[in-house]
Structure formats: structure tokens, C-alpha cells
């Protein structure tokens, strides 16, 4: 019988397969952002969104070349619910997975995964961190292709489009969720 892990169980699973503090911190950030956005878009499923956010990169540290493929295998072996698996695998759509995000939550994950990295990098450049950061600062960094070059602007744009929101709105929502 498959199950949907609680956010706490998801964190334990993430830590079973990941030891790098950076990877765990990224998972925690995405999980918290997903939880905050769930309050707006799907308030009855906050824990589900948080768990998916926590698990989205479960395979990345051990299998970076097979990202999402190994997540599918690992989560099936752990008897995790199919909805969680689909969401995790679809966040790599067009990059390392041919599974498209279908549900709104999956589209949000696709968009915020990259964007949290960009915002996090911008926060590191500021003496006050993220606390008083404004969307326009993030947009300015977004336009600078040399800044946080590993964060794909195309994926962030594509995610905003999938969600049916303007880029600025996606940045604002994600920034506020990270501040929370």
C-alpha cells in the first residue's frame, strides 16, 4: 500500500539519500516555498506540497546524471504514492525527464525550483540577506545572464507561463514565500 510521506518523513528520506548541507538546505527551501504557495493555491494540501518540495531532488546527490530517473526508482521502492512520484519526476521536464507537469502544484514546483536558487544567490550578495529584498532586485539579477549562470532563466520563464502568471508575479510570490 503506497503512502504520502509527511513533511517530516520526506525530510528523513531526503537525508537518507543526501548528505551535502547545500542539497538539504535547497530541499528545505523549496519545501517551505511550496508550503507557503499551497496556502494560496491549494490550502487543503499544504503538507502534500511541502513533502513534494522536500523530495524533488532526492536522487540528485547520488545520481546527478540520472536525475529524476533514479528518483522514480527510489520512490517506487519506498512505496511512495504515485502522485508524489509524478510531481517529483515532472519537475525535471525537458531537462532530464519527459514527464510533463500536469497539476498546478507540479507547475509551481517546476517554476520555483530554479527561482529559489536565483533568489538565494541574490540574497547572499546582500548584507541584509533576503529580509528586505524587493522583486525589482531579483528581476535585475534575472536579467544579468552572468549572475547565478547555473539558474536557467528559460525554465523560470517557462514555469511562469505554465502557471499562467507574469514573471514579476512569480518572483514576488516566491520571494514572499521565502521570506515567510
Amino acid at each position: 500500500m503506497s503512502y504520502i510521506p509527511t513533511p517530516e518523513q520526506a525530510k528523513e528520506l531526503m537525508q537518507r539519500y543526501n548528505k551535502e548541507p547545500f542539497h538539504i538546505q535547497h530541499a528545505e527551501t523549496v519545501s517551505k516555498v511550496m508550503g507557503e504557495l499551497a496556502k494560496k493555491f491549494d490550502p487543503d494540501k499544504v503538507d502534500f506540497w511541502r513533502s513534494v518540495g522536500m523530495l524533488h531532488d532526492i536522487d540528485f546527490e547520488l545520481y546527478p546524471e540520472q536525475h529524476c530517473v533514479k528518483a522514480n526508482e527510489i520512490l517506487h521502492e519506498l512505496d511512495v504514492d504515485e502522485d508524489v512520484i509524478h510531481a517529483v519526476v515532472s519537475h525535471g521536464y525537458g531537462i532530464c525527464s519527459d514527464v510533463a507537469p500536469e497539476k498546478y502544484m507540479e507547475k509551481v514546483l517546476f517554476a520555483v525550483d530554479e527561482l529559489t536558487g536565483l533568489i538565494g544567490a541574490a540574497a547572499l550578495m546582500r548584507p541584509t540577506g533576503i529580509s528586505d529584498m524587493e522583486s525589482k532586485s531579483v528581476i535585475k539579477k534575472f536579467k544579468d545572464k552572468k549572475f547565478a549562470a547555473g539558474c536557467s532563466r528559460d525554465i523560470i520563464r517557462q514555469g511562469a507561463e505554465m502557471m499562467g502568471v507574469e514573471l514579476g508575479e512569480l518572483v514576488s510570490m516566491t520571494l514572499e514565500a521565502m521570506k515567510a
Side-chain angles (χ1 to χ4, degrees):
M1 186 72 170
S2 66
Y3 76 107
I4 297 172
T6 64
E8 296 74 26
Q9 290 169 325
K11 184 174 181 175
E12 287 173 18
L13 292 174
M14 180 66 184
Q15 290 174 327
R16 187 184 307 172
Y17 291 89
N18 293 270
K19 305 299 177 210
E20 287 287 325
F22 174 81
H23 292 138
I24 294 166
Q25 182 184 5
H26 172 67
E28 288 174 339
T29 299
V30 172
S31 175
K32 287 176 182 164
V33 167
M34 290 295 289
E36 288 300 311
L37 295 178
K39 290 175 187 175
K40 176 179 178 159
F41 297 116
D42 198 359
D44 295 335
K45 293 201 170 183
V46 172
D47 282 353
F48 179 80
W49 284 45
R50 284 191 57 218
S51 293
V52 169
M54 183 60 72
L55 292 171
H56 81 281
D57 279 348
I58 191 168
D59 62 345
F60 191 78
E61 190 173 310
L62 293 175
Y63 309 102
E65 301 302 316
Q66 293 178 286
H67 182 39
C68 293
V69 173
K70 285 292 186 178
N72 187 16
E73 292 173 16
I74 290 167
L75 295 172
H76 271 106
E77 286 170 14
L78 295 168
D79 208 23
V80 171
D81 185 81
E82 218 40 66
D83 286 344
V84 174
I85 296 171
H86 189 277
V88 166
V89 174
S90 73
H91 93 277
Y93 180 64
I95 309 152
C96 55
S97 168
D98 57 2
V99 177
E102 294 168 4
K103 295 182 175 137
Y104 198 71
M105 181 270 303
E106 296 169 346
K107 295 171 184 181
V108 173
L109 176 62
F110 181 88
V112 304
D113 180 27
E114 287 290 304
L115 184 52
T116 57
L118 183 79
I119 293 171
L124 291 173
M125 306 297 292
R126 302 167 50 88
T128 55
I130 199 170
S131 63
D132 63 347
M133 188 185 294
E134 295 180 22
S135 295
K136 64 183 180 186
S137 304
V138 177
I139 296 291
K140 188 175 176 183
K141 295 292 188 190
F142 181 91
K143 291 176 181 174
D144 178 359
K145 301 214 185 318
K146 291 184 180 121
F147 179 79
C151 294
S152 170
R153 276 58 169 178
D154 289 340
I155 289 173
I156 297 168
R157 272 192 213 94
Q158 190 180 350
E161 199 174 291
M162 280 182 196
M163 289 174 63
V165 299
E166 295 295 321
L167 177 65
E169 186 181 350
L170 174 62
V171 169
S172 292
M173 284 190 297
T174 306
L175 183 58
E176 290 311 307
M178 287 178 76
K179 288 179 182 180

